[in-house]
Amino acid sequence: MPKPVPGSAPATHPEPSPVRPTKDDVVLHARHLEQVLGYLRDGTNVNVVGMRSSGRSALVRRVIERLNAGGSSVTRICGVRALQDRPLSALAVAGVQIATTPGQLPALSSAVGSLEVLLSARPSVLVIDDADDLDPTTVGAIVAVHSRARTPVLTTSRPGGRRQPGTSALTAELQPGARVTLAPLRFEGVHTLVHDLLGGAVDPATVARVAAKSGGLPGLVAAIVDTGRRENRIVQRDGLWVTRDSLWTTAMSQSVEPFLTDIDDAGLDAVTLLSFAGTLPLRTAQRMVAPDTLASLDDAGLLQVLADGDEPVVGVFPPLVAEFITHEGATMRNLLARDRLAEVDRHVVPVVPVGGEEAAGGPLEARLLAQHWTAERVARRVAWEQDPTPGAAVALLESVVLTAGAHHEVEAVLQGTSCEGTALERARLVAWTATHRALSSGTAADALDGLARHRGTLPGCESLLDAAAIDINLLVGGVPAADLDAAAPPADDEPVARAALLVSRAAAALAAGRPTRADELLDAVPDVDGRQEHVASLRALSRLLACDVRGAVDDALAGVERARRDLAPEALHEHAYVAGYGMQLQGRVVELDELTSSVLALGTAPRHLPHVQAALLTFAANAAEWQGRRDYARTTALQASALRGPRGPHPWMAADLLTALLHDPDDDAAADAVWQVALERAEAGFLAAAVTAGVRAVERSPSVERAEQVAAMASTCDAPLLGLLADYAVAIASADEEQLAVQESALYRAGLRQFAVRTAVARSVLLLEAGEARAALEHADSAWSQAGLRGRDLCGLFAPLDRAVNLTVREREVAVLVARGYSMPEIAARMVLSVRTVENHVFSASHKVGADGREGLARAARTWLTCGQR
């Protein structure tokens, strides 16, 4: 039998292999790996298309390893651009024997014959990496061999639209064929890869910056992390990897410059122009760059367009290419580009799409936000330096905290601001300063003293100081109960001051679990500029606590869309929190994952809202946990645990909750830690957060006493959601099947699908423990069906039932193969067991599950039974 070419790895057919996927497979392209192997197994040729640094070669290596493990013979050929003018050079380099007889035709004939011999082994696969760089004669030789040998061929190429005559000539002949496109990593992939490369907790803003700059291309992610560490741009402080200064260094040029090798001078001029512009409306870009040049850059993957309505926005992709050009590009070309931009009206009114394209649009959206707020910060600093009034200072400080400004920058502005200005301007600065001091110190006393010193000195603005005092208590103190039912603000106060006080009281009422009172307060808020989005987010949270979950989520998602359009990070995070909270209750895990990933990827978490970021990280980790993506869940928990800042006033706004929630299910210490958070929140008056944490503690370690305490907390509130959750906790702790049945029905009716599924699983476990295995199976099947299309997304919630069934490793393997439709003899052959042994495993597994033979066992194995193993 002919041996594989030296240096080419023999590889495996895509049947399930004993080779365990490595970390890279899991992070980068596990799904594509199985997809490619499946095509090759069926005799279908595959063309893997991806940009440079997208992981094409890494995927090929994994494919070859798997093919090798399955006994296939692999011949690998690599295109080499420098040898494109040398006929058959790629084959010669790969070790294919080519006759030295003069003349092109004998050499071609010899190459075809030698390659055909190499591929005569069965099974055999031909792998062609970088097919774009093959010389035409080599392409002809491969096509000729394939027409006779019909060996499956795997090729990789770069995107190029329809303008790739070399690759097209090859792939057009490789039929039947399929294209597999390697898209950039989603935020989760970048997050996991960064944590894997750095080997520890990473600051959320650092992950977001790497994701945005790399565009999700794994090769660039690795380059940024590597050079960042070497150049001390990414450093470890107090156990947390953080970014200091710009991430760009000249050393990164080696990884970025190859992206520009496939474009002509007109394309390079266009990329340079767009790099200095940052982003441009597409109509403006079309006036400055020829349409065919823009189209060719788009074909090559070097542009990203955010299109919505009448104002699409275009920018360079990946963004690191733009940084390379602005930092390292040719001086004259750069100057010409900047001169052209100076002559054009570049006013951008970006309209950022929301929904399914969020993950794809992340890098450019992040750049839009950064570009907008950096420009705002520069303009506001100029205004403040010219006239350092309190009003100008507040405007500047708002932009500083939205652009990751350092603490000393804030202090410099506070110290350099004059005392001149209107009473309202001075009151705003006093309130801003007090809140900043409270967040910095983690205590309320000094901040409240600072407010007290200004009372009576700011006519018409006392309500604004009262509002600041409530906000400070909500962040670093407790719910000020006396303020919830206080009289209306003084009628002669400024409308802005009265609005601030009513809104702060409403936030406190929601924290105390009183949505009815919050609605009364919000209805009285004067219509003043600057408060509308905050009011809208509180109204949506009130609807949530009132158990109008669908309405709350719809309102919050509309707010997210408005905030994206307006480039408003604070409103974006507040609305995303409410939407994420509601989606979590509904069990809308895929949408929850998309929402949290898109917001976290922006890297614009306001400095004064770390508790909101903690909540979003918690939602992201929960979604990952329920889907079985435990690596992402754990690194997200690690990230949340490193956040600095106080616990927030509303549910899930405590970073220390997340780490405890992801501990082993049988870890009572973790349940105790969650319960302590519940008690602390309750003592401080944050009853909504206390009930939520208490319910989760009871889930982790059922306790009738704790459940009764949770019910007592909820009874002091008028929030139907909290009452339902408390009833659920009582039912879980009771271990009473009938009580669980009542709660399951009530939770489904209320739209709390996540908790309804949890209740159904608990019922099934009780039935199983009572010896009613068949009833347990029927109820588990019903719960899965009621979960609908989200059943697989909520797979992790079925893990307790999977553990209770307690199949052995062999029984589980057999159950999975039964679900795949294999016969008893086929299973015996695959597992190297006797048919009788397989039958015994099937019988035992069916008995444990409560299934009546193969069909019931297969149904369980296709749904909830293997959830705990994902």
Side-chain angles (χ1 to χ4, degrees):
M1 177 182 294
K3 296 181 179 179
V5 175
S8 65
T12 148
H13 275 306
E15 284 290 332
S17 161
V19 176
R20 221 181 136 70
T22 66
K23 182 80 170 176
D24 286 343
D25 292 326
V26 174
V27 173
L28 302 183
H29 41 242
R31 180 175 62 84
H32 294 116
L33 175 64
E34 298 302 329
Q35 188 180 17
V36 169
L37 289 168
Y39 279 128
L40 295 175
R41 176 190 62 204
D42 296 336
T44 301
N45 305 295
V46 185
N47 181 27
V48 176
V49 180
M51 295 184 68
R52 297 179 189 275
S53 296
S54 63
R56 287 177 298 137
S57 296
L59 175 61
V60 167
R61 286 195 299 272
R62 303 304 178 206
V63 170
I64 291 175
E65 288 172 4
R66 291 282 295 274
L67 290 172
N68 180 42
S72 292
S73 172
V74 176
T75 299
R76 184 178 183 185
I77 299 169
C78 295
V80 182
R81 170 165 297 200
L83 298 177
Q84 270 187 313
D85 60 344
R86 302 289 299 275
L88 302 176
S89 56
L91 293 179
V93 170
V96 177
Q97 298 298 318
I98 301 175
T100 57
T101 308
Q104 186 172 353
L105 194 57
L108 176 61
S109 177
S110 171
V112 168
S114 298
L115 184 57
E116 197 168 9
V117 168
L118 286 172
L119 299 178
S120 62
R122 290 293 180 267
S124 186
V125 175
L126 176 61
V127 174
I128 307 171
D129 207 1
D130 290 325
D132 319 80
D133 298 328
L134 291 178
D135 62 89
T137 308
T138 296
V139 170
I142 292 169
V143 170
V145 171
H146 183 264
S147 66
R148 292 186 287 193
R150 312 309 296 178
T151 298
V153 180
L154 168 62
T155 59
T156 73
S157 59
R158 298 183 292 277
R162 300 177 182 274
R163 306 184 183 187
Q164 289 182 298
T167 307
S168 299
L170 178 61
T171 56
E173 298 296 329
L174 298 179
Q175 300 296 333
R179 174 179 292 186
V180 173
T181 302
L182 293 187
L185 298 178
R186 297 178 71 252
F187 178 73
E188 173 190 343
V190 176
H191 171 103
T192 309
L193 182 56
V194 169
H195 279 79
D196 187 47
L197 291 169
L198 290 173
V202 186
D203 172 43
T206 295
V207 176
R209 289 180 68 181
V210 173
K213 290 179 181 296
S214 67
L217 297 176
L220 292 186
V221 171
I224 292 172
V225 171
D226 181 58
T227 57
R229 290 183 66 176
R230 292 176 186 275
E231 302 284 339
N232 289 320
R233 304 300 177 90
I234 298 177
V235 297
Q236 200 167 26
R237 290 177 179 166
D238 300 325
L240 181 70
W241 288 100
V242 299
T243 304
R244 53 185 295 273
D245 204 10
S246 168
L247 281 174
W248 176 262
T249 65
T250 300
M252 230 176 288
S253 302
Q254 194 72 7
S255 299
V256 182
E257 192 169 19
F259 282 82
L260 302 175
T261 57
D262 293 329
I263 62 175
D264 56 18
D265 284 344
L268 184 56
D269 287 340
V271 170
T272 303
L273 188 75
L274 291 170
S275 296
F276 279 96
T279 58
L280 280 177
L282 183 57
R283 283 180 292 189
T284 303
Q286 287 174 319
R287 294 201 305 269
M288 304 183 73
V289 179
D292 60 340
T293 301
L294 285 175
S296 65
L297 292 175
D298 190 41
D299 285 341
L302 290 173
L303 294 185
Q304 187 173 31
V305 179
L306 296 178
D308 190 19
D310 299 326
E311 199 66 62
V313 179
V314 63
V316 174
F317 183 86
L320 205 61
V321 169
E323 289 209 38
F324 165 71
I325 288 175
T326 56
H327 285 87
E328 313 293 340
T331 302
M332 183 55 68
R333 195 186 296 270
N334 289 1
L335 289 173
L336 291 173
R338 296 175 71 170
D339 285 347
R340 288 198 64 199
L341 287 169
E343 298 170 0
V344 177
D345 176 14
R346 296 196 299 118
H347 179 61
V348 180
V349 185
V351 182
V352 182
V354 180
E357 297 300 317
E358 288 172 351
L364 189 52
E365 186 181 352
R367 190 168 186 182
L368 275 169
L369 273 168
Q371 182 176 322
H372 171 78
W373 282 104
T374 299
E376 281 290 307
R377 179 174 171 176
V378 170
R380 294 179 184 189
R381 177 167 288 280
V382 169
W384 175 77
E385 288 174 345
Q386 292 175 347
D387 189 13
T389 62
V394 170
L396 172 57
L397 290 168
E398 288 174 347
S399 64
V400 168
V401 298
L402 290 177
T403 52
H407 180 80
H408 67 83
E409 295 178 80
V410 173
E411 293 297 328
V413 175
L414 294 176
Q415 295 296 325
T417 300
S418 71
C419 297
E420 299 177 0
T422 67
L424 182 59
E425 289 178 337
R426 287 183 285 132
R428 278 178 163 164
L429 182 59
V430 168
W432 200 100
T433 303
T435 305
H436 168 70
R437 297 274 191 255
L439 282 171
S440 300
S441 66
T443 59
D446 290 343
L448 294 177
D449 287 345
L451 291 175
R453 287 195 296 272
H454 289 85
R455 292 192 181 278
T457 67
L458 300 167
C461 300
E462 291 294 315
S463 295
L464 193 58
L465 301 184
D466 291 339
I470 293 174
D471 294 341
I472 288 167
N473 275 306
L474 290 179
L475 286 174
V476 293
V479 175
D483 285 307
L484 300 187
D485 298 302
D492 58 348
D493 262 10
E494 293 277 357
V496 172
R498 287 189 286 114
L501 180 54
L502 289 168
V503 170
S504 295
R505 285 177 178 172
L510 292 173
R514 296 179 57 186
T516 303
R517 177 57 178 159
D519 288 340
E520 293 172 356
L521 291 163
L522 293 174
D523 288 341
V525 174
D527 185 14
V528 295
D529 291 340
R531 309 297 302 181
Q532 292 90 338
E533 288 303 332
H534 186 46
V535 168
S537 69
L538 292 177
R539 285 192 183 279
L541 181 55
S542 182
R543 292 187 76 173
L544 194 62
L545 291 176
C547 220
D548 180 6
V549 183
R550 178 179 296 180
V553 171
D554 288 345
D555 287 352
L557 288 177
V560 168
E561 185 173 356
R562 292 193 302 272
R564 288 185 185 276
R565 179 193 64 210
D566 298 337
L567 298 178
E570 185 170 354
L572 175 62
H573 281 75
E574 290 178 347
H575 287 302
Y577 162 72
V578 179
Y581 186 8
M583 286 177 174
Q584 181 171 266
L585 293 169
Q586 292 175 306
R588 294 165 60 176
V589 179
V590 173
E591 295 159 279
L592 175 60
D593 181 53
E594 290 176 353
L595 173 69
T596 54
S597 294
S598 67
V599 176
L600 292 170
L602 296 178
T604 52
R607 283 278 176 102
H608 60 294
L609 297 178
H611 46 287
V612 176
Q613 190 174 28
L616 293 176
L617 287 168
T618 300
F619 298 154
N622 284 339
E625 180 80 1
W626 300 339
Q627 291 180 310
R629 298 178 288 126
R630 294 190 63 84
D631 281 346
Y632 180 49
R634 291 190 183 283
T635 53
T636 302
L638 191 64
Q639 198 173 52
S641 68
L643 284 177
R644 306 290 186 267
R647 292 170 177 163
H650 303 299
W652 301 111
M653 291 183 173
D656 48 350
L657 263 181
L658 183 53
T659 304
L661 291 176
L662 292 178
H663 275 236
D664 185 275
D666 298 323
D667 186 352
D668 288 338
D672 291 342
V674 177
W675 181 247
Q676 290 305 313
V677 172
L679 293 179
E680 183 276 326
R681 295 284 83 188
E683 185 178 355
F686 300 106
L687 291 176
V691 169
T692 304
V695 168
R696 190 50 60 91
V698 172
E699 283 176 343
R700 295 299 302 262
S701 181
S703 162
V704 173
E705 180 183 355
R706 287 179 177 177
E708 289 175 348
Q709 286 183 258
V710 171
M713 295 174 193
S715 67
T716 64
C717 307
D718 65 0
L721 173 65
L722 303 181
L724 275 169
L725 295 181
D727 291 343
Y728 158 78
V730 170
I732 289 291
S734 72
D736 182 281
E737 196 267 332
E738 292 184 3
Q739 193 171 349
L740 285 169
V742 172
Q743 290 307 313
E744 182 182 347
S745 178
L747 292 165
Y748 271 123
R749 287 196 306 271
L752 308 182
R753 188 186 300 267
Q754 181 222 141
F755 286 96
V757 171
R758 289 182 183 275
T759 309
V761 171
R763 284 184 66 193
S764 297
V765 171
L766 284 178
L767 289 168
L768 193 66
E769 292 174 346
E772 300 180 45
R774 181 163 299 183
L777 173 63
E778 291 174 356
H779 191 66
D781 287 343
S782 174
W784 188 275
S785 299
Q786 285 180 299
L789 294 176
R790 300 191 182 105
R792 179 57 60 179
D793 298 326
L794 296 173
C795 199
L797 301 185
F798 287 81
L801 181 58
D802 190 336
R803 290 193 296 271
V805 168
N806 196 27
L807 296 186
T808 67
V809 173
R810 283 295 196 189
E811 288 167 351
R812 189 177 298 280
E813 290 175 350
V814 168
V816 170
L817 293 175
V818 167
R820 292 179 179 174
Y822 289 98
S823 67
M824 296 291 193
E826 288 173 330
I827 296 173
R830 290 176 63 85
M831 299 184 66
V832 195
L833 299 172
S834 69
V835 173
R836 174 62 62 86
T837 301
V838 171
E839 290 173 344
N840 289 338
H841 284 317
V842 170
F843 175 81
S844 176
S846 299
H847 176 71
K848 289 181 179 180
V849 171
D852 186 11
R854 284 173 54 96
E855 184 177 343
L857 179 62
R859 185 171 65 253
R862 282 193 295 268
T863 54
W864 57 267
L865 182 59
T866 56
C867 280
Q869 305 302 310
R870 296 181 72 215

